[in-house]
Amino acid sequence: MTLDLAYLRGTMAAMLSALQHSSCPENLRFHFVAAAASSHLCEVISSSFPYLSFEIYPFDSSSVSGHISTSVRSALDHPLNYARNYLPDILPLCVHRAVYLDSDVILVDDIANLASTPLGGNSVLAAPEYCNANLSNYFTPTFWSNPTLSLTFEGRGRKPCYFNTGVMVIDLVRWRQGDHTRRIVEWMELQKRMRIYELGSLPPFLLVFAGNIAPVDRRWNQHGLGGDNLWGLCRDLHPGPVSLLHWSGKGKPWERIDRNRPCPVDVLWAPYDLLQVPVASNPLL
């Protein structure tokens, strides 16, 4: 997970949910990527989880800041949002597999079940896919009108489908062997020269990995609970079983709760809020 002050409240809630629903919480090790070394962040985690096994890795934002293009929401342009591109370079070589989680998620199932997802013979990532989503909407007419770029998704193992990068199982060994960080950065550099997509750090992942994603049941990413990227309006849960709730979108549950304007689904996040505001001002507690 990434770690910063703006999303610390969400990160702490996600950690608590993972630990509470784990059959062996002592086996969990958290790897945090932070914009800078911060004793305060370390103290907050240590004081809340005194027996937690974790490590914080500083992320040099200068390595990515020159590659970032403006997107539909300013929060998506934060350099730390691109740290997932560099995880195989940041984490120790002894870490062969990791589960990447955004800071706006809550687990209600054992994360070991997600972490053990089979990746098959050559997949680097496992994630829930949404093949009903129109992949063409994530790229500009400039991309699709280019005779070379428009063939990017041709010849892949399966139909390229949209997937959300906020919940991924990653084979770090295969990523390093395939030099996928370089491939992602090359797409970001092209984006600086000719605008081929609009939505932050997601499209380069689609360009590199879509069509070769190991399947994960959609129960592991009930995403979109934060509404869209412009207004963050309330949304209901998708039908079906749930293992992980994801407040992707503009609306974050802690912000809506603090404004005394929570959405109905935010009541599912509130019990994990370790850094909650005083009870008197919070109608859900």
Side-chain angles (χ1 to χ4, degrees), residues 152-228:
T152 299
F153 296 106
E154 297 293 327
R156 301 206 174 178
R158 296 187 297 111
K159 175 186 175 182
C161 297
Y162 163 80
F163 66 95
N164 181 280
T165 54
V167 179
M168 299 183 291
V169 181
I170 306 174
D171 187 315
L172 297 167
V173 175
R174 290 179 180 175
W175 183 308
R176 293 171 183 129
Q177 291 173 344
D179 199 13
H180 294 302
T181 293
R182 177 190 57 79
R183 298 177 63 202
I184 289 174
V185 170
E186 286 177 351
W187 282 113
M188 293 174 66
E189 291 174 342
L190 179 61
Q191 164 76 350
K192 295 290 286 187
R193 299 195 300 270
M194 51 188 295
R195 197 164 183 84
I196 58 174
Y197 55 80
E198 301 290 353
L199 194 61
S201 61
L202 168 64
F205 269 78
L206 297 177
L207 290 163
V208 172
F209 297 112
N212 192 23
I213 299 293
V216 174
D217 193 285
R218 294 183 185 179
R219 68 187 298 157
W220 284 103
N221 194 350
Q222 284 264 356
H223 69 290
L225 301 182
D228 58 53

Side-chain angles (χ1 to χ4, degrees), residues 67 75 86 116 125 138 144 148 152 166 180 200 228 239 258 278 284:
H67 302 309
Y86 302 89
S116 61
L125 303 180
Y138 294 90
W144 293 114
T148 301
T152 299
H180 294 302
D228 58 53
D258 287 353
L284 294 179

